[in-house]
Amino acid sequence: YMDDIKIDKEKLLEIISKISERLEGRDVTLYAVGGTALTYLELKDFSRDMDFILNPQDWNVVGGILDEISEKYGIIIDRFFDGHIVCYKMPSDFREKALDLIREDSLKLESPCLTDILLMKWIANRLKDERDIGSILKNLELDGNEALFRLESYSFDDPLQGHIKKALVRDLI
């Protein structure tokens, strides 16, 4: 896996098509998150990896396919089970609020709404996310109250860590 990997929108669409082909008609929904979603939405020029949330029923169907694609393209494809991100879980209604990106044969590609993507970037609180955060804020009429309300629906594996993270994000909003 190369550090100089750049997955632009064109490459992203090509990879999505390959995933769709390999599904052979089996219905699957992938939720693009992070740089993958922002690249598709043209809020970022490229991503260095691909990140997807998978529904529980799709995990076994698409896991092997993502492994093959990852190998073929020499890219990292991170997958998160059912809205569980590294140390927290997204609100259960993230699917209802999701943006429809692509429908290709039996594959649906969606992404969490921009408010959720922004909250995820803020929770991660990494230096490398600052440009993404700026790009989202330029393109999103952020409703601070809605974002604060939404933030409360995120649950953390470690309640103390969650309390600290939420306080940090509240200050940013």
Side-chain angles (χ1 to χ4, degrees):
Y1 299 101
M2 307 296 289
D3 281 341
D4 60 354
I5 292 282
K6 291 185 177 173
I7 305 164
D8 61 11
K9 187 170 182 179
E10 184 180 344
K11 177 67 81 183
L12 177 65
L13 293 173
E14 177 187 326
I15 292 169
I16 295 300
S17 279
K18 288 284 183 243
I19 295 169
S20 174
E21 277 172 30
R22 294 282 293 109
L23 285 173
E24 298 169 345
R26 293 169 291 185
D27 287 329
V28 165
T29 302
L30 295 176
Y31 297 89
V33 293
T36 306
L38 295 176
T39 299
Y40 180 84
L41 295 167
E42 298 179 357
L43 297 179
K44 183 179 178 119
D45 294 333
F46 64 87
S47 183
R48 297 213 177 267
D49 61 5
M50 296 181 82
D51 300 302
F52 298 112
I53 295 171
L54 278 65
N55 291 322
Q57 67 273 21
D58 297 336
W59 190 262
N60 292 332
V61 176
V62 81
I65 294 169
L66 294 179
D67 289 341
E68 288 170 26
I69 300 272
S70 172
E71 190 71 33
K72 178 180 177 185
Y73 284 90
I75 58 171
I76 293 170
I77 302 179
D78 291 320
R79 45 207 101 157
F80 303 101
F81 183 78
D82 198 26
H84 288 272
I85 312 297
V86 184
C87 59
Y88 64 93
K89 187 170 193 313
M90 295 182 67
S92 56
D93 67 348
F94 82 87
R95 291 173 187 81
E96 288 90 81
K97 295 181 176 299
L99 309 172
D100 293 325
L101 306 182
I102 297 174
R103 174 109 213 190
E104 185 169 322
D105 301 322
S106 63
L107 176 65
K108 266 173 42 181
L109 181 69
E110 300 184 0
S111 90
C113 65
L114 278 178
T115 300
D116 277 331
I117 294 175
L118 179 64
L119 288 171
M120 293 165 80
K121 291 282 183 185
W122 273 337
I123 289 168
N125 196 26
R126 299 173 302 198
L127 202 56
K128 67 178 191 172
D129 290 325
E130 283 184 6
R131 181 178 285 164
D132 293 351
I133 290 166
S135 183
I136 295 168
L137 287 171
K138 267 205 302 262
N139 290 277
L140 172 69
E141 288 291 322
L142 183 67
D143 177 334
N145 289 330
E146 179 198 340
L148 286 168
F149 182 75
R150 190 93 187 119
L151 178 65
E152 293 313 310
S153 303
Y154 281 71
S155 57
F156 288 78
D157 300 346
D158 173 346
L160 179 60
Q161 182 70 15
H163 184 75
I164 294 166
K165 288 274 188 192
K166 285 182 177 181
L168 276 169
V169 174
R170 267 189 227 103
D171 288 346
L172 294 168
I173 297 172

